[in-house]
Amino acid sequence: MRVDAVPETQPFEGFTPWPADFAERYRQAGYWLGETFGEWLHARAERFGDRIALVGEKRRLSYRELDARASQLAAGFLGLGIRPRDRVVVQLPNVVEFFEVCFALFRLGALPVLALPAHRRSEISYFCQFTEAVAYVIADKDGGFDYRTLAAEIRAEAPTVKHVLVAGEPGLFTALEGLYGESAALPETTPGDVAFFQLSGGSTGVPKLIPRTHDDYLYSVRASAEICALDADSVYLAALPAAHNFTLSSPGSLGVLDAGGRVVLSRRPSPDEAFLWIEKERVTVTSVVPPLCAVWLEAARNTRHDLSSLRLLQVGGSKLSAEVARRVRGTFGCTLQQVFGMAEGLVNYTRFDDPEDVIIETQGRPISRDDEVRVVDDDDRDVEVGEVGHLLTRGPYTIRGYYKATAHNEKAFTRDGFYRTGDLVRRTPSGHLVVEGRAKDQINRGGEKIAAEEIENHVLAHPAVRDAALVAMPDAFLGERSCVFVVAREQPPAAREVTAFLRARGLASYKIPDRIEFIDDLPKTSVGKVDKKALRRWIADKIAPKGQ
Ligand code: OOB
């Protein structure tokens, strides 16, 4: 069977490319090498051959095997009728199949939509419908949850999904294992084309999709691997979800594969499991969110596992407190690296040769000389170094627009293409960034992002609710938790009942409000908007330990 390549000139609908002069500049500068993921993996297989690329619970795969398996699976996908640019929602835990599936789709030019294992009906159904996905890839079960039950619901809601492909026991669906076929002739893919979608933490009613190209993503991977000095002896532990931008590319699994190292996949981030892997595989580098860092630090004090192989602990996703940061070197005997990144692009790292106080107190500086960073006031005027302002950025791996989101893109990007990150930062004279807060209407629950409007819409769907506002409340462990203020129509429902209602709507657990406060009316600002600042202050006061 022959399938023609998508002509390079045919733009992908809903994708905002970089303007031609920028694209040219990024190619000239050697950032965009004109290489696709398929070619990249093939080149790694040629170079690193029988070295181990991936270690999972049940399987170890060499570079050559990964390359071959990706081609065989791509042939299987093609046999099912999956075509270049078709969208496929991929929701897999940290298993070897995650990489086989992604690389097979890359090779075919089909586009993975990288969902997280925590997502449930509400999110997955939306991704499938919005992207008109033709297939949905899951594991049979993970963490006590049966994804096949979820898939049955998705099939009923998203008619474009023709195939549910299962890693493990397929039940009523199709076993992934049966699809690895004879390698077939595959269509050409184009390096400047979209390769896959990341998901935005978001601040709007529905999650936004982030189109990343082969060229831009591979640049961020290569440059990150270099900053982190990865080489063929690097062993990376993927403890956080493999699909997240941090774990995947900062430098993450792909960075380690770029360097010829080994990626170890932990099903769970708990110290029990992660420490076992660190000892067994002599892990040299891993990445965690701040609450997990705190848990690991506690557990490391009296662990029986040998963690001495660890050379670099990366912490990012939400703000790391200086107190926790200071304990890393003493406890693990390794270097701490702060990582401040976003699925939309820009990633900042503290560097190995940064002074200790910079590593402890800043969130790093950008990957690239061509990452343009502006810190501005409410009127988009640049503020002085050292002053807090909104972070705007543009560069060789930061998107120019969300997928199919014309109206939102007008607000989320400046006219000249800077992405409005929604983060409030301060720039130090050395060019490092310190995250001081957030202007976007989002809760950062220990690295997991919750868009306030999305949850408010769900709460408002409850028949007894007249108004709702979700805000962050401080939390010693997670940094923030979520609190929803609810105005009832008449008799307020029981908090338990609201929670059950939200669960029944198929929301990911981390999005279920941690606390519900009933209130007579939402406070308003002088222009009539909900005064979330007042709500945040009120709840912070209410939960503050007394007598302080
Ligand atoms: C990472 O990516 P996302 O897309 O889940 O979230 C991005 C947002 C940032 O805009 C910022 O608000 C927050 O997460 N954030 C941090 C942070 N790292 C991310 N806030 C304070 N300190 C940090 N170190 O979270 C992500 C992507 C790639 C690498 C690392 C993290």
Side-chain angles (χ1 to χ4, degrees):
M1 182 177 3
R2 218 189 108 75
V3 176
D4 290 326
V6 177
E8 197 163 345
T9 47
Q10 191 181 309
F12 180 51
E13 213 186 312
F15 165 61
T16 314
W18 283 261
D21 50 336
F22 280 87
E24 186 52 29
R25 176 140 71 83
Y26 298 153
R27 277 189 212 104
Q28 287 295 330
Y31 304 141
W32 294 0
L33 296 183
E35 187 179 36
T36 62
F37 272 107
E39 292 161 349
W40 175 86
L41 179 62
H42 198 60
R44 310 257 94 49
E46 300 263 279
R47 204 161 131 207
F48 303 117
D50 293 328
R51 291 184 67 96
I52 296 297
L54 296 172
V55 178
E57 222 166 39
K58 298 191 194 120
R59 287 199 283 153
R60 299 170 85 82
L61 223 57
S62 72
Y63 279 84
R64 212 190 305 282
E65 285 166 330
L66 175 61
D67 185 48
R69 296 272 292 174
S71 291
Q72 289 159 6
L73 188 55
F77 288 158
L78 197 58
L80 286 180
I82 299 176
R83 292 290 174 269
R85 289 185 174 178
D86 279 350
R87 276 76 60 203
V88 174
V89 173
V90 177
Q91 185 183 31
L92 289 171
N94 291 4
V95 291
V96 166
E97 286 89 341
F98 171 78
F99 292 92
E100 294 180 343
V101 167
C102 286
F103 280 114
L105 293 169
F106 292 154
R107 207 152 253 178
L108 188 57
L111 313 178
V113 178
L114 296 185
L116 296 174
H119 288 139
R120 291 293 177 262
R121 195 184 75 238
S122 168
E123 294 89 10
I124 300 293
S125 176
Y126 174 75
F127 301 144
C128 288
Q129 292 182 45
F130 184 74
T131 66
E132 300 169 73
V134 300
Y136 173 38
V137 186
I138 53 172
D140 48 8
K141 279 186 184 173
D142 184 51
F145 182 75
D146 194 328
Y147 286 88
R148 294 162 300 189
T149 315
L150 174 58
E153 295 172 339
I154 298 301
R155 277 292 287 270
E157 290 182 8
T160 57
V161 175
K162 291 196 206 70
H163 308 283
V164 173
L165 310 173
V166 186
E169 278 301 314
L172 296 173
F173 302 112
T174 308
L176 203 55
E177 195 49 48
L179 294 177
Y180 294 78
E182 291 290 308
S183 294
L186 294 170
E188 291 265 315
T189 47
T190 309
D193 212 349
V194 177
F196 70 105
F197 294 95
Q198 275 283 355
L199 305 175
S200 156
S203 55
T204 56
V206 287
K208 294 284 175 287
L209 283 109
I210 299 169
R212 303 290 305 251
T213 65
H214 300 261
D215 263 338
D216 93 74
Y217 209 67
L218 278 173
Y219 166 59
S220 78
V221 165
R222 276 193 316 270
S224 297
E226 198 179 318
I227 287 168
C228 297
L230 299 184
D231 59 25
D233 294 327
S234 299
V235 182
Y236 176 70
L237 181 73
L240 298 172
H244 191 269
N245 203 48
F246 189 10
T247 325
L248 192 59
S249 69
S250 307
S253 306
L254 294 180
V256 171
L257 295 179
D258 186 68
R262 185 169 8 125
V263 176
V264 178
L265 298 161
S266 181
R267 291 291 284 254
R268 264 12 71 237
S270 64
D272 291 354
E273 194 165 331
F275 288 5
L276 199 72
W277 279 120
I278 294 175
E279 178 176 67
K280 191 158 161 240
E281 295 291 329
R282 305 295 295 155
V283 167
T284 61
V285 47
T286 187
S287 36
V288 293
V289 288
L292 188 60
C293 181
V295 169
W296 280 23
L297 281 167
E298 265 323 291
R301 284 156 49 136
N302 44 28
T303 182
R304 55 193 165 78
H305 294 296
D306 174 9
L307 308 177
S308 62
S309 56
L310 207 54
R311 281 206 281 273
L312 178 64
L313 182 68
Q314 300 182 292
V315 187
S318 65
K319 180 88 181 240
L320 177 66
S321 75
E323 288 142 61
V324 174
R326 263 188 216 104
R327 291 166 51 202
V328 168
R329 194 185 288 281
T331 306
F332 290 109
C334 74
T335 304
L336 164 72
Q337 180 179 55
Q338 295 214 38
V339 187
F340 164 38
M342 52 207 74
E344 286 81 356
L346 181 71
V347 181
N348 302 276
Y349 298 100
T350 56
R351 305 300 205 264
F352 293 131
D353 56 0
D354 280 338
E356 191 71 10
D357 61 319
V358 169
I359 294 179
I360 301 285
E361 278 155 31
T362 82
Q363 280 66 60
R365 61 182 171 83
I367 289 179
S368 177
R369 253 182 299 127
D370 279 291
D371 279 319
E372 298 172 72
V373 162
R374 289 182 62 200
V375 184
V376 301
D377 64 15
D378 289 346
D379 300 315
D380 281 356
R381 282 181 306 230
D382 295 278
V383 302
E384 296 291 320
V385 167
E387 275 178 31
V388 177
H390 303 274
L391 172 65
L392 312 182
T393 186
R394 174 171 89 166
Y397 60 99
T398 296
I399 56 162
R400 293 299 187 118
Y402 291 103
Y403 178 53
K404 288 202 291 190
T406 316
H408 180 67
N409 286 340
E410 299 263 317
K411 289 181 274 174
F413 295 82
T414 65
R415 281 173 169 276
D416 53 356
F418 280 81
Y419 166 56
R420 297 182 189 277
T421 65
D423 292 312
L424 295 174
V425 303
R426 172 166 65 79
R427 198 165 17 176
T428 69
S430 58
H432 289 77
L433 298 175
V434 178
V435 180
E436 296 285 3
R438 194 168 53 233
K440 55 190 166 193
D441 200 2
Q442 185 185 78
I443 290 93
N444 189 333
R445 196 178 181 278
E448 292 185 305
K449 316 302 183 317
I450 306 168
E453 190 186 337
E454 182 187 342
I455 309 310
E456 288 159 6
N457 286 343
H458 283 286
V459 178
L460 283 169
H462 190 291
V465 172
R466 183 155 60 85
D467 217 346
L470 189 82
V471 297
M473 55 183 184
D475 182 79
F477 177 54
L478 291 176
E480 293 176 4
R481 284 184 196 264
S482 65
C483 172
V484 67
F485 286 88
V486 172
V487 182
R489 285 189 193 283
E490 284 166 18
Q491 207 39 39
R496 241 192 354 259
E497 202 253 305
V498 176
T499 305
F501 173 80
L502 293 175
R503 283 198 194 281
R505 289 178 71 83
L507 274 180
S509 279
Y510 68 87
K511 296 184 183 173
I512 305 285
D514 292 292
R515 188 178 177 115
I516 302 182
E517 289 285 336
F518 292 96
I519 190 170
D520 289 341
D521 233 330
L522 296 178
K524 301 279 160 54
T525 63
S526 54
V527 293
K529 290 209 303 197
V530 175
D531 189 350
K532 290 204 165 177
K533 235 188 214 163
L535 291 173
R536 276 193 290 269
R537 218 175 312 130
W538 189 87
I539 190 65
D541 278 352
K542 182 163 177 186
I543 63 174
K546 298 287 172 270
Q548 288 191 5

